[in-house]
mmCIF file of all heavy atoms in Angstrom:
data_model
loop_
_atom_site.group_PDB
_atom_site.id
_atom_site.type_symbol
_atom_site.label_atom_id
_atom_site.label_comp_id
_atom_site.label_asym_id
_atom_site.label_seq_id
_atom_site.Cartn_x
_atom_site.Cartn_y
_atom_site.Cartn_z
ATOM 1 N N ILE A 1 197.166 218.491 4.127
ATOM 2 C CA ILE A 1 196.893 217.982 5.464
ATOM 3 C C ILE A 1 197.233 219.111 6.432
ATOM 4 O O ILE A 1 198.273 219.757 6.296
ATOM 5 C CB ILE A 1 197.760 216.752 5.799
ATOM 6 C CG1 ILE A 1 197.513 215.618 4.799
ATOM 7 C CG2 ILE A 1 197.489 216.269 7.228
ATOM 8 C CD1 ILE A 1 198.486 214.456 4.960
ATOM 9 N N GLY A 2 196.363 219.350 7.407
ATOM 10 C CA GLY A 2 196.630 220.362 8.417
ATOM 11 C C GLY A 2 196.644 219.743 9.802
ATOM 12 O O GLY A 2 195.751 218.964 10.151
ATOM 13 N N ILE A 3 197.663 220.071 10.590
ATOM 14 C CA ILE A 3 197.773 219.571 11.962
ATOM 15 C C ILE A 3 197.790 220.752 12.924
ATOM 16 O O ILE A 3 198.488 221.743 12.706
ATOM 17 C CB ILE A 3 199.056 218.725 12.140
ATOM 18 C CG1 ILE A 3 198.868 217.341 11.503
ATOM 19 C CG2 ILE A 3 199.434 218.577 13.616
ATOM 20 C CD1 ILE A 3 200.091 216.445 11.605
ATOM 21 N N ASP A 4 197.004 220.630 14.003
ATOM 22 C CA ASP A 4 197.028 221.660 15.039
ATOM 23 C C ASP A 4 196.703 221.032 16.383
ATOM 24 O O ASP A 4 195.966 220.035 16.460
ATOM 25 C CB ASP A 4 196.031 222.777 14.733
ATOM 26 C CG ASP A 4 196.404 224.075 15.439
ATOM 27 O OD1 ASP A 4 196.026 224.241 16.622
ATOM 28 O OD2 ASP A 4 197.094 224.915 14.819
ATOM 29 N N LEU A 5 197.247 221.611 17.443
ATOM 30 C CA LEU A 5 197.028 221.116 18.798
ATOM 31 C C LEU A 5 195.653 221.509 19.337
ATOM 32 O O LEU A 5 195.100 220.831 20.199
ATOM 33 C CB LEU A 5 198.126 221.662 19.722
ATOM 34 C CG LEU A 5 198.111 221.228 21.187
ATOM 35 C CD1 LEU A 5 198.283 219.724 21.315
ATOM 36 C CD2 LEU A 5 199.207 221.955 21.958
ATOM 37 N N SER A 6 195.095 222.605 18.826
ATOM 38 C CA SER A 6 193.843 223.144 19.349
ATOM 39 C C SER A 6 192.635 222.575 18.612
ATOM 40 O O SER A 6 192.448 222.811 17.422
ATOM 41 C CB SER A 6 193.843 224.673 19.240
ATOM 42 O OG SER A 6 192.544 225.188 19.499
ATOM 43 N N GLU A 7 191.789 221.852 19.341
ATOM 44 C CA GLU A 7 190.549 221.346 18.747
ATOM 45 C C GLU A 7 189.649 222.492 18.310
ATOM 46 O O GLU A 7 188.965 222.408 17.282
ATOM 47 C CB GLU A 7 189.812 220.458 19.744
ATOM 48 C CG GLU A 7 190.517 219.151 20.070
ATOM 49 C CD GLU A 7 189.698 218.281 21.004
ATOM 50 O OE1 GLU A 7 188.481 218.544 21.129
ATOM 51 O OE2 GLU A 7 190.265 217.346 21.593
ATOM 52 N N ASP A 8 189.638 223.575 19.095
ATOM 53 C CA ASP A 8 188.773 224.710 18.778
ATOM 54 C C ASP A 8 189.168 225.360 17.455
ATOM 55 O O ASP A 8 188.307 225.725 16.649
ATOM 56 C CB ASP A 8 188.836 225.746 19.910
ATOM 57 C CG ASP A 8 188.378 225.179 21.231
ATOM 58 O OD1 ASP A 8 189.225 224.607 21.948
ATOM 59 O OD2 ASP A 8 187.185 225.286 21.546
ATOM 60 N N MET A 9 190.475 225.512 17.236
ATOM 61 C CA MET A 9 190.937 226.091 15.976
ATOM 62 C C MET A 9 190.586 225.180 14.807
ATOM 63 O O MET A 9 190.149 225.634 13.746
ATOM 64 C CB MET A 9 192.444 226.333 16.025
ATOM 65 C CG MET A 9 192.893 227.334 17.088
ATOM 66 S SD MET A 9 192.499 229.053 16.693
ATOM 67 C CE MET A 9 193.980 229.514 15.795
ATOM 68 N N LEU A 10 190.748 223.879 14.996
ATOM 69 C CA LEU A 10 190.444 222.938 13.922
ATOM 70 C C LEU A 10 188.958 222.916 13.599
ATOM 71 O O LEU A 10 188.571 222.721 12.439
ATOM 72 C CB LEU A 10 190.922 221.538 14.301
ATOM 73 C CG LEU A 10 192.444 221.323 14.297
ATOM 74 C CD1 LEU A 10 192.777 219.913 14.761
ATOM 75 C CD2 LEU A 10 193.035 221.573 12.914
ATOM 76 N N MET A 11 188.107 223.102 14.587
ATOM 77 C CA MET A 11 186.673 223.159 14.325
ATOM 78 C C MET A 11 186.339 224.334 13.413
ATOM 79 O O MET A 11 185.510 224.229 12.512
ATOM 80 C CB MET A 11 185.904 223.251 15.641
ATOM 81 C CG MET A 11 185.876 221.956 16.432
ATOM 82 S SD MET A 11 185.003 222.098 18.014
ATOM 83 C CE MET A 11 183.331 222.443 17.433
ATOM 84 N N GLU A 12 187.005 225.467 13.667
ATOM 85 C CA GLU A 12 186.815 226.629 12.792
ATOM 86 C C GLU A 12 187.308 226.317 11.380
ATOM 87 O O GLU A 12 186.663 226.664 10.384
ATOM 88 C CB GLU A 12 187.570 227.843 13.353
ATOM 89 C CG GLU A 12 187.113 228.314 14.726
ATOM 90 C CD GLU A 12 185.750 228.971 14.702
ATOM 91 O OE1 GLU A 12 185.390 229.569 13.662
ATOM 92 O OE2 GLU A 12 185.036 228.869 15.726
ATOM 93 N N ALA A 13 188.460 225.662 11.288
ATOM 94 C CA ALA A 13 189.030 225.318 9.983
ATOM 95 C C ALA A 13 188.130 224.367 9.217
ATOM 96 O O ALA A 13 187.879 224.558 8.019
ATOM 97 C CB ALA A 13 190.422 224.688 10.176
ATOM 98 N N MET A 14 187.615 223.345 9.878
ATOM 99 C CA MET A 14 186.782 222.353 9.207
ATOM 100 C C MET A 14 185.458 222.944 8.757
ATOM 101 O O MET A 14 184.928 222.568 7.713
ATOM 102 C CB MET A 14 186.567 221.148 10.119
ATOM 103 C CG MET A 14 187.813 220.287 10.269
ATOM 104 S SD MET A 14 187.550 218.742 11.186
ATOM 105 C CE MET A 14 187.391 219.375 12.849
ATOM 106 N N ALA A 15 184.932 223.886 9.527
ATOM 107 C CA ALA A 15 183.677 224.531 9.128
ATOM 108 C C ALA A 15 183.857 225.292 7.821
ATOM 109 O O ALA A 15 183.000 225.221 6.925
ATOM 110 C CB ALA A 15 183.198 225.473 10.234
ATOM 111 N N LYS A 16 184.966 226.003 7.678
ATOM 112 C CA LYS A 16 185.222 226.743 6.430
ATOM 113 C C LYS A 16 185.487 225.792 5.273
ATOM 114 O O LYS A 16 185.041 226.033 4.147
ATOM 115 C CB LYS A 16 186.413 227.690 6.623
ATOM 116 C CG LYS A 16 186.110 228.854 7.546
ATOM 117 C CD LYS A 16 187.262 229.824 7.638
ATOM 118 C CE LYS A 16 188.392 229.290 8.458
ATOM 119 N NZ LYS A 16 189.438 230.291 8.726
ATOM 120 N N THR A 17 186.203 224.713 5.550
ATOM 121 C CA THR A 17 186.519 223.751 4.498
ATOM 122 C C THR A 17 185.257 223.065 3.990
ATOM 123 O O THR A 17 185.087 222.848 2.795
ATOM 124 C CB THR A 17 187.524 222.702 5.013
ATOM 125 O OG1 THR A 17 188.727 223.369 5.391
ATOM 126 C CG2 THR A 17 187.845 221.685 3.938
ATOM 127 N N ASP A 18 184.344 222.723 4.907
ATOM 128 C CA ASP A 18 183.090 222.080 4.506
ATOM 129 C C ASP A 18 182.281 222.994 3.603
ATOM 130 O O ASP A 18 181.680 222.564 2.617
ATOM 131 C CB ASP A 18 182.267 221.705 5.744
ATOM 132 C CG ASP A 18 182.869 220.529 6.501
ATOM 133 O OD1 ASP A 18 183.701 219.821 5.903
ATOM 134 O OD2 ASP A 18 182.511 220.335 7.669
ATOM 135 N N GLU A 19 182.272 224.285 3.925
ATOM 136 C CA GLU A 19 181.527 225.251 3.116
ATOM 137 C C GLU A 19 182.085 225.317 1.698
ATOM 138 O O GLU A 19 181.344 225.464 0.725
ATOM 139 C CB GLU A 19 181.585 226.643 3.765
ATOM 140 C CG GLU A 19 180.809 226.755 5.065
ATOM 141 C CD GLU A 19 181.003 228.100 5.730
ATOM 142 O OE1 GLU A 19 181.716 228.952 5.142
ATOM 143 O OE2 GLU A 19 180.465 228.316 6.827
ATOM 144 N N GLU A 20 183.385 225.212 1.566
ATOM 145 C CA GLU A 20 184.023 225.352 0.257
ATOM 146 C C GLU A 20 184.274 224.005 -0.420
ATOM 147 O O GLU A 20 184.787 223.954 -1.532
ATOM 148 C CB GLU A 20 185.354 226.113 0.426
ATOM 149 C CG GLU A 20 185.146 227.524 0.965
ATOM 150 C CD GLU A 20 186.454 228.188 1.360
ATOM 151 O OE1 GLU A 20 187.516 227.602 1.089
ATOM 152 O OE2 GLU A 20 186.403 229.285 1.937
ATOM 153 N N GLN A 21 183.937 222.917 0.282
ATOM 154 C CA GLN A 21 184.081 221.565 -0.254
ATOM 155 C C GLN A 21 185.512 221.278 -0.729
ATOM 156 O O GLN A 21 185.741 220.745 -1.800
ATOM 157 C CB GLN A 21 183.070 221.335 -1.397
ATOM 158 C CG GLN A 21 181.624 221.412 -0.940
ATOM 159 C CD GLN A 21 180.636 221.096 -2.047
ATOM 160 O OE1 GLN A 21 180.926 221.258 -3.222
ATOM 161 N NE2 GLN A 21 179.461 220.634 -1.674
ATOM 162 N N GLN A 22 186.454 221.671 0.114
ATOM 163 C CA GLN A 22 187.859 221.369 -0.166
ATOM 164 C C GLN A 22 188.233 220.069 0.533
ATOM 165 O O GLN A 22 187.862 219.841 1.685
ATOM 166 C CB GLN A 22 188.768 222.502 0.323
ATOM 167 C CG GLN A 22 188.629 223.799 -0.468
ATOM 168 C CD GLN A 22 189.512 224.891 0.111
ATOM 169 O OE1 GLN A 22 189.410 225.219 1.278
ATOM 170 N NE2 GLN A 22 190.371 225.456 -0.721
ATOM 171 N N GLY A 23 188.961 219.219 -0.143
ATOM 172 C CA GLY A 23 189.325 217.924 0.414
ATOM 173 C C GLY A 23 190.543 217.990 1.301
ATOM 174 O O GLY A 23 191.570 217.357 1.012
ATOM 175 N N ILE A 24 190.477 218.750 2.382
ATOM 176 C CA ILE A 24 191.612 218.905 3.302
ATOM 177 C C ILE A 24 191.414 217.973 4.487
ATOM 178 O O ILE A 24 190.332 217.894 5.070
ATOM 179 C CB ILE A 24 191.731 220.366 3.786
ATOM 180 C CG1 ILE A 24 191.964 221.313 2.610
ATOM 181 C CG2 ILE A 24 192.863 220.491 4.812
ATOM 182 C CD1 ILE A 24 191.872 222.781 2.990
ATOM 183 N N LEU A 25 192.467 217.263 4.857
ATOM 184 C CA LEU A 25 192.441 216.401 6.035
ATOM 185 C C LEU A 25 193.030 217.173 7.215
ATOM 186 O O LEU A 25 194.189 217.594 7.172
ATOM 187 C CB LEU A 25 193.258 215.133 5.784
ATOM 188 C CG LEU A 25 193.443 214.200 6.989
ATOM 189 C CD1 LEU A 25 192.112 213.651 7.475
ATOM 190 C CD2 LEU A 25 194.414 213.066 6.644
ATOM 191 N N TYR A 26 192.229 217.369 8.256
ATOM 192 C CA TYR A 26 192.711 218.040 9.459
ATOM 193 C C TYR A 26 192.895 217.011 10.576
ATOM 194 O O TYR A 26 192.040 216.154 10.802
ATOM 195 C CB TYR A 26 191.728 219.123 9.914
ATOM 196 C CG TYR A 26 191.729 220.349 9.032
ATOM 197 C CD1 TYR A 26 190.638 220.640 8.208
ATOM 198 C CD2 TYR A 26 192.804 221.231 9.027
ATOM 199 C CE1 TYR A 26 190.635 221.764 7.399
ATOM 200 C CE2 TYR A 26 192.810 222.357 8.223
ATOM 201 C CZ TYR A 26 191.724 222.620 7.415
ATOM 202 O OH TYR A 26 191.725 223.739 6.605
ATOM 203 N N LEU A 27 194.021 217.113 11.281
ATOM 204 C CA LEU A 27 194.356 216.184 12.353
ATOM 205 C C LEU A 27 194.663 216.951 13.637
ATOM 206 O O LEU A 27 195.434 217.917 13.614
ATOM 207 C CB LEU A 27 195.578 215.335 11.969
ATOM 208 C CG LEU A 27 195.454 214.486 10.694
ATOM 209 C CD1 LEU A 27 196.802 213.843 10.371
ATOM 210 C CD2 LEU A 27 194.378 213.427 10.843
ATOM 211 N N ASN A 28 194.053 216.517 14.732
ATOM 212 C CA ASN A 28 194.308 217.122 16.036
ATOM 213 C C ASN A 28 195.496 216.410 16.676
ATOM 214 O O ASN A 28 195.351 215.367 17.303
ATOM 215 C CB ASN A 28 193.055 216.999 16.900
ATOM 216 C CG ASN A 28 193.233 217.617 18.281
ATOM 217 O OD1 ASN A 28 192.663 217.134 19.252
ATOM 218 N ND2 ASN A 28 194.021 218.677 18.372
ATOM 219 N N GLN A 29 196.689 216.975 16.481
ATOM 220 C CA GLN A 29 197.914 216.368 16.998
ATOM 221 C C GLN A 29 198.866 217.444 17.498
ATOM 222 O O GLN A 29 198.794 218.604 17.084
ATOM 223 C CB GLN A 29 198.615 215.538 15.908
ATOM 224 C CG GLN A 29 197.848 214.339 15.411
ATOM 225 C CD GLN A 29 198.655 213.498 14.426
ATOM 226 O OE1 GLN A 29 199.849 213.703 14.231
ATOM 227 N NE2 GLN A 29 197.994 212.544 13.800
ATOM 228 N N ASP A 30 199.766 217.027 18.354
ATOM 229 C CA ASP A 30 200.862 217.870 18.818
ATOM 230 C C ASP A 30 201.987 217.758 17.792
ATOM 231 O O ASP A 30 202.427 216.647 17.478
ATOM 232 C CB ASP A 30 201.329 217.370 20.190
ATOM 233 C CG ASP A 30 202.328 218.302 20.874
ATOM 234 O OD1 ASP A 30 203.149 218.922 20.160
ATOM 235 O OD2 ASP A 30 202.299 218.378 22.106
ATOM 236 N N MET A 31 202.454 218.883 17.296
ATOM 237 C CA MET A 31 203.482 218.841 16.252
ATOM 238 C C MET A 31 204.792 218.231 16.756
ATOM 239 O O MET A 31 205.626 217.796 15.972
ATOM 240 C CB MET A 31 203.730 220.241 15.684
ATOM 241 C CG MET A 31 204.404 221.205 16.602
ATOM 242 S SD MET A 31 204.787 222.782 15.788
ATOM 243 C CE MET A 31 203.154 223.521 15.627
ATOM 244 N N ARG A 32 204.958 218.162 18.068
ATOM 245 C CA ARG A 32 206.177 217.572 18.629
ATOM 246 C C ARG A 32 206.173 216.047 18.545
ATOM 247 O O ARG A 32 207.218 215.415 18.762
ATOM 248 C CB ARG A 32 206.339 218.007 20.094
ATOM 249 C CG ARG A 32 206.578 219.492 20.273
ATOM 250 C CD ARG A 32 206.467 219.908 21.715
ATOM 251 N NE ARG A 32 205.111 219.754 22.237
ATOM 252 C CZ ARG A 32 204.721 220.155 23.450
ATOM 253 N NH1 ARG A 32 205.612 220.732 24.260
ATOM 254 N NH2 ARG A 32 203.482 219.985 23.848
ATOM 255 N N SER A 33 205.020 215.489 18.218
ATOM 256 C CA SER A 33 204.929 214.024 18.144
ATOM 257 C C SER A 33 203.930 213.600 17.063
ATOM 258 O O SER A 33 203.250 212.594 17.214
ATOM 259 C CB SER A 33 204.504 213.449 19.504
ATOM 260 O OG SER A 33 203.288 214.043 19.942
ATOM 261 N N PHE A 34 203.845 214.372 15.976
ATOM 262 C CA PHE A 34 202.839 214.087 14.958
ATOM 263 C C PHE A 34 203.119 212.774 14.232
ATOM 264 O O PHE A 34 204.265 212.319 14.150
ATOM 265 C CB PHE A 34 202.714 215.254 13.969
ATOM 266 C CG PHE A 34 203.865 215.424 13.006
ATOM 267 C CD1 PHE A 34 203.871 214.781 11.780
ATOM 268 C CD2 PHE A 34 204.941 216.253 13.314
ATOM 269 C CE1 PHE A 34 204.919 214.942 10.881
ATOM 270 C CE2 PHE A 34 206.003 216.427 12.431
ATOM 271 C CZ PHE A 34 205.990 215.765 11.206
ATOM 272 N N GLU A 35 202.043 212.187 13.707
ATOM 273 C CA GLU A 35 202.140 210.927 12.986
ATOM 274 C C GLU A 35 201.340 211.010 11.691
ATOM 275 O O GLU A 35 200.237 211.570 11.667
ATOM 276 C CB GLU A 35 201.591 209.759 13.825
ATOM 277 C CG GLU A 35 202.372 209.477 15.087
ATOM 278 C CD GLU A 35 201.816 208.288 15.844
ATOM 279 O OE1 GLU A 35 201.247 207.385 15.194
ATOM 280 O OE2 GLU A 35 201.938 208.262 17.077
ATOM 281 N N LEU A 36 201.897 210.458 10.625
ATOM 282 C CA LEU A 36 201.223 210.372 9.337
ATOM 283 C C LEU A 36 201.223 208.923 8.872
ATOM 284 O O LEU A 36 202.006 208.104 9.353
ATOM 285 C CB LEU A 36 201.918 211.253 8.289
ATOM 286 C CG LEU A 36 202.023 212.756 8.577
ATOM 287 C CD1 LEU A 36 202.822 213.443 7.477
ATOM 288 C CD2 LEU A 36 200.639 213.392 8.704
ATOM 289 N N TYR A 37 200.345 208.615 7.912
ATOM 290 C CA TYR A 37 200.287 207.260 7.368
ATOM 291 C C TYR A 37 201.335 207.025 6.281
ATOM 292 O O TYR A 37 201.617 205.885 5.915
ATOM 293 C CB TYR A 37 198.894 206.974 6.815
ATOM 294 C CG TYR A 37 197.845 206.835 7.887
ATOM 295 C CD1 TYR A 37 196.868 207.804 8.065
ATOM 296 C CD2 TYR A 37 197.850 205.734 8.740
ATOM 297 C CE1 TYR A 37 195.908 207.674 9.060
ATOM 298 C CE2 TYR A 37 196.897 205.591 9.734
ATOM 299 C CZ TYR A 37 195.923 206.573 9.892
ATOM 300 O OH TYR A 37 194.979 206.444 10.873
ATOM 301 N N GLY A 38 201.899 208.107 5.749
ATOM 302 C CA GLY A 38 202.911 207.993 4.706
ATOM 303 C C GLY A 38 203.702 209.276 4.634
ATOM 304 O O GLY A 38 203.633 210.132 5.527
ATOM 305 N N THR A 39 204.448 209.458 3.572
ATOM 306 C CA THR A 39 205.287 210.640 3.426
ATOM 307 C C THR A 39 204.587 211.720 2.598
ATOM 308 O O THR A 39 203.608 211.460 1.902
ATOM 309 C CB THR A 39 206.626 210.280 2.757
ATOM 310 O OG1 THR A 39 206.363 209.677 1.476
ATOM 311 C CG2 THR A 39 207.413 209.313 3.620
ATOM 312 N N VAL A 40 205.114 212.927 2.674
ATOM 313 C CA VAL A 40 204.568 214.079 1.953
ATOM 314 C C VAL A 40 205.700 214.766 1.188
ATOM 315 O O VAL A 40 206.873 214.611 1.528
ATOM 316 C CB VAL A 40 203.896 215.085 2.916
ATOM 317 C CG1 VAL A 40 202.697 214.452 3.606
ATOM 318 C CG2 VAL A 40 204.898 215.606 3.958
ATOM 319 N N ARG A 41 205.334 215.527 0.178
ATOM 320 C CA ARG A 41 206.358 216.190 -0.628
ATOM 321 C C ARG A 41 206.972 217.378 0.100
ATOM 322 O O ARG A 41 208.133 217.717 -0.117
ATOM 323 C CB ARG A 41 205.766 216.658 -1.958
ATOM 324 C CG ARG A 41 205.419 215.530 -2.909
ATOM 325 C CD ARG A 41 205.389 216.006 -4.344
ATOM 326 N NE ARG A 41 206.702 216.429 -4.799
ATOM 327 C CZ ARG A 41 206.933 217.077 -5.943
ATOM 328 N NH1 ARG A 41 205.916 217.385 -6.734
ATOM 329 N NH2 ARG A 41 208.158 217.422 -6.289
ATOM 330 N N ALA A 42 206.168 218.018 0.944
ATOM 331 C CA ALA A 42 206.673 219.190 1.670
ATOM 332 C C ALA A 42 205.913 219.350 2.971
ATOM 333 O O ALA A 42 204.776 218.896 3.122
ATOM 334 C CB ALA A 42 206.549 220.454 0.820
ATOM 335 N N ILE A 43 206.561 220.017 3.910
ATOM 336 C CA ILE A 43 205.940 220.429 5.166
ATOM 337 C C ILE A 43 206.143 221.929 5.294
ATOM 338 O O ILE A 43 207.234 222.442 5.008
ATOM 339 C CB ILE A 43 206.569 219.711 6.373
ATOM 340 C CG1 ILE A 43 206.376 218.187 6.247
ATOM 341 C CG2 ILE A 43 205.979 220.209 7.683
ATOM 342 C CD1 ILE A 43 207.112 217.393 7.305
ATOM 343 N N VAL A 44 205.099 222.640 5.691
ATOM 344 C CA VAL A 44 205.190 224.092 5.871
ATOM 345 C C VAL A 44 204.643 224.457 7.242
ATOM 346 O O VAL A 44 203.823 223.736 7.817
ATOM 347 C CB VAL A 44 204.433 224.865 4.768
ATOM 348 C CG1 VAL A 44 205.011 224.555 3.393
ATOM 349 C CG2 VAL A 44 202.940 224.557 4.800
#
């Protein structure tokens, strides 16, 4: 899962992911108040 505040940066990320058919979920959120539906094993 990738989170970023910039919609423009995420558009670039999603375009590359679509080309490579990687199942990455990108979310346009502020990291100071991010929300997930569940827990994750790690955050980087």
Side-chain angles (χ1 to χ4, degrees):
I1 301 172
I3 284 179
D4 203 275
L5 182 62
S6 169
E7 292 183 17
D8 300 87
M9 297 287 270
L10 288 177
M11 287 178 65
E12 298 289 330
M14 288 187 287
K16 290 184 286 188
T17 299
D18 288 343
E19 291 175 2
E20 298 170 7
Q21 297 184 335
Q22 291 178 304
I24 299 171
L25 174 63
Y26 287 110
L27 301 173
N28 180 213
Q29 296 185 9
D30 189 325
M31 70 175 72
R32 294 169 294 186
S33 55
F34 72 89
E35 296 182 29
L36 301 176
Y37 290 109
T39 58
V40 296
R41 290 203 65 190
I43 299 173
V44 299

